[in-house]
Amino acid sequence: MNTQEQIANYISSQPEPKRSGMQELHRILLQVSPECKLWFLDGKNSENRTVTNPNVGYGSYTIKYANGKTREFYQIGMSANTVGISIYILGIQDKTYLAQAYGKTLGKASVSGYCIKFKNLKDINILVLEAAIRYGLEVTRKN
């Protein structure tokens, strides 16, 4: 099964309204970055034990660790959580930026260093979320 099929299966396995919200976000993310690399991580480690929720990734950037090692990873991530949907915007150095720049205008969402969580797509301002995503993609292109 290829990555696009894994993503489609993952999204379609979600209950409503999470499913339709994730489908819409997937469409938006592909529209914002049509040529991006797609990722699907099933949430399992090398011993096949579940360590995180499965997630869909968009784009690619290089993570630079303190010990000098590097690793390719996605720029934007999306996953279902117990309450709703999480969007991860990776590579932003200032961990307060998302909350300060988008938190007040986003709607009913919790915003932490690199994660935006919300229950339902209708609870947030999708244009503000899209602006945050565009910012995240731009920041990691520069790094």
Side-chain angles (χ1 to χ4, degrees), residues 54-108:
N55 53 86
V56 180
Y58 304 85
S60 177
Y61 85 110
T62 302
I63 298 175
K64 296 170 186 149
Y65 294 101
N67 65 4
K69 292 185 180 186
T70 61
R71 180 176 109 168
E72 181 187 21
F73 206 62
Y74 58 73
Q75 296 166 287
I76 308 295
M78 173 178 70
S79 73
N81 60 52
T82 54
V83 176
I85 301 170
S86 296
I87 297 291
Y88 306 98
I89 302 175
L90 304 178
I92 299 173
Q93 298 301 317
D94 180 354
K95 299 302 176 199
T96 64
Y97 181 80
L98 281 181
Q100 290 175 353
Y102 304 103
K104 289 185 176 128
T105 56
L106 193 54
K108 290 185 194 175

Side-chain angles (χ1 to χ4, degrees), residues 41-58:
L41 303 170
D42 64 6
K44 298 185 186 225
N45 67 11
S46 58
E47 290 98 41
N48 205 32
R49 293 172 61 191
T50 300
V51 294
T52 186
N53 292 330
N55 53 86
V56 180
Y58 304 85

